[in-house]
Amino acid sequence: MSGSGERKNARFVLVAFGLAVGALFAFLWVPLNFAGPDGLESAIADASGGDQYEPEPPVEYRWAPFPDYSMGGGQGDSYVTSWLVGVVGAAVVLVAALAALKLLVKGRRDP
Amino acid sequence: MHVPDGLLDLPVLAATWAATCGYAAFAIRKSRKSLTEERVPVLGVLAAVVFAFQMLNFPISAGTSGHLLGFVLVAALTTPTAAFLVMFVILAIQALMFADGGVLSLGANVFNMGVVTLLGYWVFLAVRKRLNSAASTEVLGAGSTDSGSLGPEKRGGAETQPPVERELVVGGLVGGWVSVVAASLVAGVELGASSAFPYGLVVTVPVMLGYHVVIGLGEGLITAATLAFFSRYAPEHVPAPNEQEWLN
């Protein structure tokens, strides 16, 4: 890649990185952040007439390290711990996306 | 809109996994041809941006919250097949690390938020191309070429801050809204068709649409604002309308 191409990419990455950091800080500080049920959960509650409908999965996945974006099973969690989990998640997504896409590009069969 | 395990029965799970795997094969084949090594960091950071934005919930009504899906945002800045791959990675990590959405229903979630949302991208592109051609005609009619929406060389080459492209913002607003409404409609159909969920389509579709037509407004606003931000500060990375394709 040319020097100008690298500069353009670096600028984009910097701008996007700034946005990600901004969003994570907004999560920490913006009081509007709201932990109510999402649209699907509300729709399920409405459909079932307000009952607490609890689905029973045939196979239960129990190995999520941060279930519901919490540490330690949600006990003693605060806004800050949720934010830390978010930072970890963003880093993991970054690394996983980079690895998957690199693999895709490297696996290309050149003509 | 992350469907947890236990709500969808085997036929619905199998159908959505089959559709997702089929589209994934198409997206991988297309991206192998079109994705360059220098675009990989850009997509990686966009994936992290979308994940971070998904952490931000906004209240809508009656104690319900919404958050960004992000497909139209990524597709508008890259390609729809690359956006699908980014959504796949995000949703897989959310299911495996955060139990946000089921592991068995990952196929349905990726289908809803990475394939059905393609409709939102198509609306975005149609609006953008239509407004762009109208703007170009107006500029030519006025005998001037001073427009911020004629092409990347014009937008990216200027020394001064380029103007934010109006058609990009309007397209993002409408496309973002359509993507959420379309995804919620299909999620409602999946729930209603599933024997594991005791309520039929007549119930599930209207309640899903009822909430998500409002959540979609948030999606449209965030998509439009973020596209405007990129258009302002990294315009050379916003593809021109004639560079964007419908499928890849």
Side-chain angles (χ1 to χ4, degrees):
Chain A
M1 188 171 30
S2 68
S4 97
E6 277 173 8
R7 271 198 303 278
K8 280 180 185 175
N9 256 358
R11 189 163 118 182
F12 182 90
V13 168
L14 201 67
V15 168
F17 183 73
L19 266 181
V21 171
L24 286 168
F25 269 96
F27 174 84
L28 188 60
W29 296 113
V30 173
L32 272 179
N33 193 31
F34 188 79
D38 69 6
L40 177 71
E41 289 161 345
S42 293
I44 290 169
D46 281 6
S48 55
D51 292 346
Q52 285 291 319
Y53 179 74
E54 290 288 338
E56 288 176 21
V59 183
E60 205 170 343
Y61 175 74
R62 296 175 185 186
W63 298 281
F66 306 109
D68 294 324
Y69 301 89
S70 65
M71 289 181 185
Q75 291 182 343
D77 273 335
S78 68
Y79 225 48
V80 179
T81 53
S82 293
W83 176 76
L84 279 173
V85 169
V87 173
V88 171
V92 172
V93 165
L94 174 69
V95 171
L98 285 177
L101 295 167
K102 277 256 181 208
L103 210 65
L104 192 75
V105 172
K106 291 250 186 247
R108 177 171 24 216
R109 272 172 280 168
D110 291 324
Chain B
M1 205 186 299
H2 296 61
V3 179
D5 282 337
L7 287 178
L8 302 179
D9 63 7
L10 192 61
V12 176
L13 287 175
T16 49
W17 266 112
T20 298
C21 289
Y23 189 79
F26 168 78
I28 288 170
R29 198 160 52 87
K30 284 282 182 190
S31 296
R32 264 196 179 154
K33 282 185 191 158
S34 61
L35 189 63
T36 56
E37 198 141 352
E38 55 264 32
R39 293 296 285 169
V40 170
V42 165
L43 277 164
V45 175
L46 271 179
V49 169
V50 170
F51 178 88
F53 269 101
Q54 287 191 357
M55 296 279 297
L56 281 172
N57 293 315
F58 50 84
I60 53 161
S61 62
T64 302
S65 67
H67 64 74
L68 183 83
L69 293 188
F71 177 86
V72 174
L73 173 63
V74 181
L77 291 170
T78 59
T79 64
T81 49
F84 168 82
L85 297 174
V86 163
M87 293 306 290
F88 201 127
V89 169
I90 292 172
L91 291 167
I93 287 171
Q94 285 174 333
L96 294 171
M97 276 189 73
F98 304 104
D100 191 7
V103 174
L104 293 177
S105 51
L106 179 62
N109 285 325
V110 176
F111 179 71
N112 297 344
M113 291 184 257
V115 183
V116 175
T117 42
L118 197 55
L119 187 66
Y121 171 75
W122 289 337
V123 170
F124 156 80
L125 197 52
V127 169
R128 191 178 182 207
K129 281 180 189 276
R130 171 114 187 141
L131 290 179
N132 184 258
S133 81
S136 301
T137 311
E138 273 174 29
V139 167
L140 287 173
S144 161
T145 54
D146 185 21
S147 165
S149 52
L150 287 179
E153 67 286 343
K154 195 74 186 156
R155 291 173 300 119
E159 285 298 315
T160 54
Q161 289 282 20
V164 171
E165 214 187 281
R166 183 178 60 108
E167 53 269 29
L168 189 72
V169 174
V170 177
L173 187 69
V174 182
W177 183 81
V178 169
S179 71
V180 170
V181 173
S184 71
L185 171 68
V186 173
V189 170
E190 290 162 1
L191 288 171
S194 166
S195 61
F197 191 64
Y199 306 93
L201 292 170
V202 184
V203 176
T204 56
V205 170
V207 288
M208 280 297 283
L209 285 177
Y211 284 104
H212 288 92
V213 288
V214 184
I215 293 175
L217 295 175
E219 175 88 14
L221 286 171
I222 296 171
T223 304
T226 313
L227 287 175
F229 187 83
F230 277 108
S231 171
R232 184 85 174 171
Y233 295 105
E236 63 278 9
H237 280 282
V238 180
N242 58 0
E243 293 172 343
Q244 292 190 299
E245 295 177 27
W246 296 97
L247 279 175
N248 184 32

